[in-house]
Amino acid sequence: MSGIYIHIPFCKQACHYCDFHFSTSMKKKDDMVLALAKEIVMRKNEFELFDSAQSDNQIETIYFGGGTPSVLTNDEINFLISEIYNNYNVVENPEITLEANPDDLSAERIFELSKSSINRLSIGIQSFYEEDLKMMNRAHNSAEAINCLTEATKYFDNISLDLIYGIPGLTDEMWKKNIETALSFGIPHISSYALTVEPKTALRKLIDTGKIAEPQDEVASNHFMILVETLQKNGFIHYELSNFGKEGYFSKNNSAYWLGKKYIGIGPSAHSYDGEKRGWNVANNSLYLKSIQNDELPIETETLTISDRYNEYIMTGLRTIWGVSLERIEKEFGLEYLTYLKKQSQKFLNDELLSIENNILKPTAKGKFLTDGIASDLFYLNLEE
Ligand code: SF4
């Protein structure tokens, strides 16, 4: 199974907390669509996908991420999808996701999208409170968030929405209300992240100059517990640290990443993985365009060492409901890694932050919020192959 990710590197305005790759100038949008289509063609033989009857080499998911993919017109999106169909072996019912922002999702737009092959919407709601949206410099307002969900649920069954917690000023009560509002639309998937302050973002500057309060870990941890409890009570499965889905509605695209499947990343800053090597495209729109126009792929690659692959498995395993299989660690990485993992895990097992059941290592309910920190303590840092 393989997936194609397409990065659309444009946004209407810059959210204060964001450190993804995007440009707020749409001047190069037309050229970009043509370049993305060309990269799709240039990479068609990369995994020997074309003409392959092997199901492992079929495209099962297509994901438009960004940036803000919904700044493309429906015709542009359909053009890119048709280029994938013309050049790859796509399964009969692929999951095709469009990340979209509420201000792009008018009733007409949603209706048009529902007639395309897009069958999953991932909507960047983030909060239903006007003050949060303003503070984060989101391009949409609270009314647009409500209206687009009202319309989208009429035409799409597979919808995910994003919510941010730990926002300064967002009380526990307000956070509960945000979750309840999201649930009132009956959507089957929610992705939710703590507001994090990345270096060099506008948010970092606003905090450093005292205009916004620093987000507090304790508040975020409380919000996380409220989130997990409320969503589980409402029939959601907490299948990845930041992702909750009803049965049958886990993101196939993201699950494939977490399970170590192959994928091709198209567009500036997009990452790729072929089972052995990781690749990343240049994170600069002009350099990307120039390179593609010169028939060169703007990609750098590295072959993962055994320690890299072990570390990735630890990180994704602990973040997902699948956990880390100790049997797989021994089989794939050897006894040395298993012994190291057991030694490093011991203090977290003693503190009941990790548990082992059926030979699977997982965070406990108490350890979940600390998963990323725990995983980094289990990483193998010094072993060269
Ligand atoms: S819309 Fe998404 S990608 Fe664009 S600036 Fe905001 S958070 Fe970043």
Side-chain angles (χ1 to χ4, degrees):
M1 126 105 203
S2 303
I4 294 191
Y5 170 84
I6 304 179
H7 189 86
I8 307 301
F10 302 105
C11 292
K12 285 188 191 160
Q13 63 188 52
C15 301
H16 284 336
Y17 56 88
C18 182
D19 73 341
F20 293 145
H21 171 65
F22 66 92
S23 163
T24 50
S25 160
M26 303 282 165
K27 266 192 284 179
K28 293 180 179 146
K29 187 164 83 94
D30 294 352
D31 288 345
M32 185 59 70
V33 172
L34 293 176
L36 294 171
K38 189 167 169 187
E39 190 187 355
I40 288 170
V41 179
M42 285 166 83
R43 296 180 69 180
K44 72 178 184 183
N45 293 322
E46 207 161 286
F47 300 153
E48 298 167 2
L49 297 162
F50 198 54
D51 286 340
S52 168
Q54 287 179 35
S55 65
D56 184 46
N57 288 332
Q58 290 185 310
I59 298 297
E60 288 197 349
T61 63
I62 298 171
Y63 192 99
F64 288 88
T68 310
S70 52
V71 299
L72 296 192
T73 63
N74 289 354
D75 284 349
E76 288 168 332
I77 293 165
N78 291 334
F79 166 61
L80 292 172
I81 294 174
S82 70
E83 285 301 281
I84 293 174
Y85 272 89
N86 291 340
N87 290 283
Y88 296 78
N89 184 10
V90 182
V91 296
E92 206 169 317
N93 289 309
E95 176 188 272
I96 308 185
T97 305
L98 180 77
E99 282 184 359
N101 280 344
D103 44 304
D104 292 324
L105 292 180
S106 63
E108 298 75 24
R109 182 81 198 276
I110 291 170
F111 179 66
E112 284 304 315
L113 282 171
S114 73
K115 291 194 293 181
S116 74
S117 46
I118 300 284
N119 50 30
R120 184 171 183 271
L121 290 180
S122 171
I123 307 179
I125 299 287
Q126 318 307 354
S127 175
F128 292 100
Y129 293 102
E130 209 60 52
E131 61 265 41
D132 291 346
L133 298 171
K134 283 212 174 95
M135 190 276 267
M136 295 189 288
N137 202 37
R138 295 288 304 179
H140 68 279
N141 59 35
S142 171
E144 283 169 325
I146 298 281
N147 291 343
C148 85
L149 284 172
T150 308
E151 288 304 317
T153 45
K154 286 184 195 162
Y155 301 102
F156 284 85
D157 144 63
N158 198 350
I159 296 177
S160 176
L161 59 82
D162 289 352
L163 289 177
I164 294 181
Y165 57 87
I167 300 170
L170 184 73
T171 63
D172 287 359
E173 286 313 307
M174 290 166 76
W175 174 234
K176 279 183 200 157
K177 190 85 187 56
N178 256 349
I179 302 170
E180 278 162 22
T181 308
L183 289 174
S184 70
F185 289 97
I187 41 98
H189 191 280
I190 291 180
S191 299
S192 189
Y193 304 88
L195 181 68
T196 47
V197 188
E198 303 294 346
K200 295 187 192 147
T201 55
L203 182 60
R204 179 75 270 163
K205 260 192 218 134
L206 290 164
I207 291 171
D208 289 347
T209 51
K211 297 199 173 85
I212 292 178
E214 181 102 36
Q216 300 299 315
D217 274 357
E218 206 177 302
V219 173
S221 159
N222 260 347
H223 287 182
F224 179 76
M225 281 188 301
I226 293 169
L227 176 75
V228 174
E229 200 185 306
T230 315
L231 293 187
Q232 283 178 342
K233 255 192 221 151
N234 282 275
F236 284 75
I237 300 162
H238 190 192
Y239 72 105
E240 197 270 345
L241 192 62
S242 309
N243 286 277
F244 303 79
K246 293 250 171 97
E247 190 81 52
Y249 287 96
F250 295 1
S251 161
K252 286 189 190 154
N253 177 77
N254 294 354
S255 300
Y257 292 154
W258 300 321
L259 292 168
K261 310 281 183 178
K262 304 174 191 178
Y263 56 91
I264 293 179
I266 302 286
S269 83
H271 283 223
S272 303
Y273 180 58
D274 70 358
E276 286 172 6
K277 289 192 299 302
R278 210 161 269 304
W280 55 97
N281 284 355
V282 63
N284 178 299
N285 288 3
S286 303
L287 294 179
Y288 173 84
L289 288 171
K290 204 166 148 204
S291 179
I292 295 286
Q293 280 152 5
N294 290 332
D295 299 320
E296 282 165 20
L297 289 174
I299 192 165
E300 274 185 67
T301 54
E302 67 172 2
T303 302
L304 297 185
T305 63
I306 187 169
S307 307
D308 292 336
R309 286 192 289 109
Y310 162 89
N311 291 344
E312 292 214 357
Y313 179 46
I314 294 292
M315 178 57 94
T316 52
L318 288 187
R319 287 183 62 103
T320 61
I321 47 166
W322 302 291
V324 173
S325 156
L326 299 183
E327 191 185 329
R328 178 172 159 192
I329 292 283
E330 183 171 9
K331 227 171 165 178
E332 208 172 309
F333 305 101
L335 193 57
E336 191 180 350
Y337 280 84
L338 180 65
T339 310
Y340 177 81
L341 176 58
K342 282 186 170 165
K343 183 170 154 262
Q344 294 299 104
S345 311
Q346 200 50 55
K347 62 175 186 277
F348 300 112
L349 291 164
N350 295 346
D351 292 344
E352 294 176 353
L353 295 171
L354 289 177
S355 69
I356 298 176
E357 260 175 63
N358 301 325
N359 227 12
I360 303 284
L361 182 71
K362 276 185 186 179
T364 59
K366 191 168 118 187
K368 266 187 186 173
F369 186 70
L370 306 169
T371 300
D372 289 350
I374 296 173
S376 66
D377 273 13
L378 308 184
F379 285 171
Y380 209 130
L381 299 174
N382 303 317
L383 192 72
E384 288 310 318
E385 296 185 288

